[in-house]
Amino acid sequence: MTRFMVGFVAACLLAPAPASAADKPVRVFILAGQSNMEGKAPNTLMDHQATDPKTKDLFAHLRKGDKWIVRDDVFIKFLDRKGLLTVGYGSPNRTGCELEFGTAMGDHFKESVILVKAAWGGHSLYKMFRSPSAGFPAAAVLEKELKQAQDRVTKENEKNKKNNPLPTMDDVKKDYGSSYRKMMAEVKDVTDNAGTLFPVLKGKPVELTGFVWFQGWNDQYGAENEYESNLTHFIQDVRKDLKAPKLPFVIAAMGQNGSKPATGAMLTIQKAQLAMNDVPQFKGNVKTIRTDALVDTAAEELYPTWQKNPDQWKLVGGDHPYHYLGSAIWFNRIGKAMGDAMLELLKDQK
């Protein structure tokens, strides 16, 4: 054997071996927000529109034959539920944007994907999702809230002839950031115990890859002017607490206005969310998408008369405007737009 061949063989023996399947990190995406992130499209509506000749093409990529695809490469944990991604991981008997988003991530990555959903209806960014660096509201605001809470308990005590203790300032403060902390606990649980939650992933490392935020409704009632500041703090704190300084963030802006222009507090929050696209430190790692532009016009047009046409309504929608009409088409479009935006951010980070 020539000296060249000896050297070549030695180099091959010393070269690091290609990473095995077990060494490839599982891609983890966090989906957080309030009721619309839970998902509000009825599964019965999904089933109908997936077989209706007028709409079935919109759902064909999510189906195999006459059944919904159950992904074997995308896993999901949503509070007390976990499993392989398919329909039904929204609110009870409903589906949300996780279906299209997870499908996009599963199609893109060779590695397995985990979706961690942390979503609770009626939770504002101002209070329950408030992140640490935003601090507490002004002392006067807290004092007013404390007085209201104490007055409420006092009246209940008088009415029911009880002597329950009055709330304290600590009681008032504990709700601030409570959902933020629960969200972080969900993420830690999944990243620490992925192999236990999903045994097929046992032994594989995990890697936080992206964050999606879909929220805003409850901040319309007096907290809209603080939303931009609170959202900036939220993004910064999530990255700090997860030790992921450039974690890609996709924000789905409020769009319940649909084809009509947003007004009032909704417009203020929408503008605050879209303003994240122009924050210098977020350039290339945060992207806000519009959800109103994705409106399901068929559901929007029928909604004003849904009570007079219930049988027709249940074939296109399943909820009120604040839940995007429960439109499967609208939620799926939002999920796909979230996925497209996330992949764009990940491409830009390479």
Side-chain angles (χ1 to χ4, degrees), residues 30-337:
I30 304 162
L31 309 181
Q34 54 182 131
S35 58
N36 286 311
M37 183 56 94
E38 287 183 21
K40 295 296 181 177
N43 294 340
T44 52
L45 174 60
M46 299 275 293
D47 291 340
H48 166 72
Q49 292 191 315
T51 56
D52 185 335
K54 297 189 295 293
T55 53
K56 68 178 184 178
D57 288 348
L58 299 173
F59 300 86
H61 62 293
L62 302 169
R63 309 268 291 179
K64 186 174 183 180
D66 61 350
K67 297 186 181 301
W68 295 102
I69 292 172
V70 178
R71 303 284 309 209
D72 62 3
D73 56 348
V74 182
F75 303 80
I76 183 166
K77 170 75 163 55
F78 180 26
L79 306 182
D80 61 345
R81 287 180 275 162
K82 62 183 175 68
L84 300 172
L85 181 65
T86 188
V87 297
Y89 274 100
S91 296
N93 302 311
R94 294 177 181 246
T95 297
C97 54
E98 74 285 337
L99 183 61
E100 282 280 15
F101 179 83
T103 295
M105 298 304 103
D107 288 348
H108 178 77
F109 289 104
K110 294 180 180 178
E111 305 95 318
S112 295
V113 169
I114 297 177
L115 307 180
V116 184
K117 278 186 70 173
W120 301 273
H123 292 199
S124 69
L125 178 61
Y126 172 82
K127 190 169 191 178
M128 299 183 82
F129 271 109
R130 195 178 187 95
S131 66
S133 68
F136 287 104
V141 173
L142 295 175
E143 289 291 347
K144 181 180 178 181
E145 188 174 343
L146 175 61
K147 185 177 186 308
Q148 290 173 339
Q150 290 179 338
D151 289 347
R152 185 167 56 250
V153 173
T154 298
K155 290 179 181 178
E156 290 172 355
N157 282 342
E158 292 172 352
K159 179 180 179 181
N160 300 313
K161 296 181 179 180
K162 292 186 177 181
N163 191 31
N164 291 327
L166 296 182
T168 65
M169 182 59 77
D170 286 342
D171 293 325
V172 169
K173 288 183 174 181
K174 70 181 181 182
D175 283 341
Y176 284 90
S178 58
S179 298
Y180 180 89
R181 295 187 292 272
K182 285 167 64 178
M183 174 186 73
M184 287 300 179
E186 281 288 315
V187 175
K188 187 176 190 307
D189 176 44
V190 174
T191 54
D192 286 354
N193 303 298
T196 301
L197 293 167
F198 310 109
V200 71
L201 301 178
K202 189 174 180 62
K204 292 189 176 184
V206 298
E207 180 179 316
L208 286 172
T209 305
F211 191 109
V212 183
W213 179 244
F214 194 16
Q215 187 275 344
W217 186 268
N218 278 68
D219 288 271
Q220 293 179 102
Y221 306 102
E224 64 272 17
N225 293 322
E226 194 179 311
Y227 196 93
E228 184 172 345
S229 171
N230 286 336
L231 185 55
T232 301
H233 283 293
F234 182 84
I235 295 170
Q236 294 170 335
D237 286 342
V238 165
R239 289 171 164 176
K240 177 183 177 182
D241 291 343
L242 294 178
K243 297 179 173 57
K246 294 295 182 181
L247 184 68
F249 250 81
V250 170
I251 300 160
M254 286 188 75
Q256 291 94 330
N257 52 294
S259 62
K260 299 177 182 179
T263 60
M266 181 182 290
L267 178 60
T268 299
I269 293 173
Q270 192 180 85
K271 286 182 175 179
Q273 292 167 326
L274 290 166
M276 298 299 105
N277 288 330
D278 300 318
V279 177
Q281 72 190 82
F282 295 159
K283 185 174 178 58
N285 55 65
V286 174
K287 185 174 180 64
T288 302
I289 61 167
R290 299 196 72 106
T291 61
D292 50 5
L294 306 172
V295 62
D296 176 358
T297 54
E300 186 180 54
E301 289 169 6
L302 189 59
Y303 178 76
T305 61
W306 75 272
Q307 290 176 307
K308 297 178 181 178
N309 303 283
D311 291 337
Q312 187 180 359
W313 170 246
K314 69 181 182 182
L315 302 181
V316 296
D319 214 310
H320 300 291
Y322 49 78
H323 286 154
Y324 291 83
L325 304 172
S327 164
I329 291 173
W330 205 348
F331 272 99
N332 278 8
R333 285 174 177 168
I334 292 170
K336 184 179 185 305

